[in-house]
């Protein structure tokens, strides 16, 4: 994210593009986010924040890799991996 020349989200005018905005707030990815949230809930994960999504913080070790896999799938679907 810090490598982007333009610090603002390309889809939300005048909102700084941060990992937090992209993962948790940007309406552009809402539908993908809803899917991710449902998949996490199916795993018994109800916390939806950056530490959980990126590091599976506070999640039972048996489910950590599954959570990270879902986050990667989200990143792939949003096609934002190359922008990070
Ligand atoms: Zn946005």
């Amino acid at each position: 994210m810090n490598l982007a020349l333009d610090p603002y989200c390309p889809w939300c005018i005048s909102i700084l593009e941060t990992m937090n905005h992209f993962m948790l707030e940007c309406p552009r990815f809402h539908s993908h986010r809803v899917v991710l949230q449902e998949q996490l809930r199916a795993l018994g994960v109800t916390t939806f924040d950056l530490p959980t999504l990126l590091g599976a913080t506070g999640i039972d070790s048996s489910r950590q890799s599954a959570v990270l896999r879902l986050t990667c799938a989200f990143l792939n679907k949003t096609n934002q991996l190359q922008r990070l």
Side-chain angles (χ1 to χ4, degrees), residues 22 32 69-82 84:
F22 159 59
H32 293 310
R69 218 174 304 130
L70 290 176
T71 302
C72 283
F74 171 83
L75 292 173
N76 275 324
K77 275 189 271 183
T78 57
N79 274 318
Q80 295 305 296
L81 269 180
Q82 71 278 9
L84 297 181

Side-chain angles (χ1 to χ4, degrees), residues 16-64:
L16 279 175
E17 185 178 51
T18 60
M19 200 63 186
N20 198 69
H21 173 73
F22 159 59
M23 295 289 295
L24 305 177
E25 293 169 354
C26 189
R28 162 92 185 179
F29 307 113
H30 178 75
S31 59
H32 293 310
R33 194 176 298 117
V34 168
V35 171
L36 176 59
Q37 255 170 325
E38 281 170 7
Q39 290 169 325
L40 288 173
R41 217 172 293 136
L43 283 173
V45 178
T46 52
T47 312
F48 199 78
D49 58 14
L50 282 188
T52 303
L53 295 174
L54 300 178
T57 306
I59 293 167
D60 189 79
S61 57
S62 64
R63 275 174 293 172
Q64 277 181 354

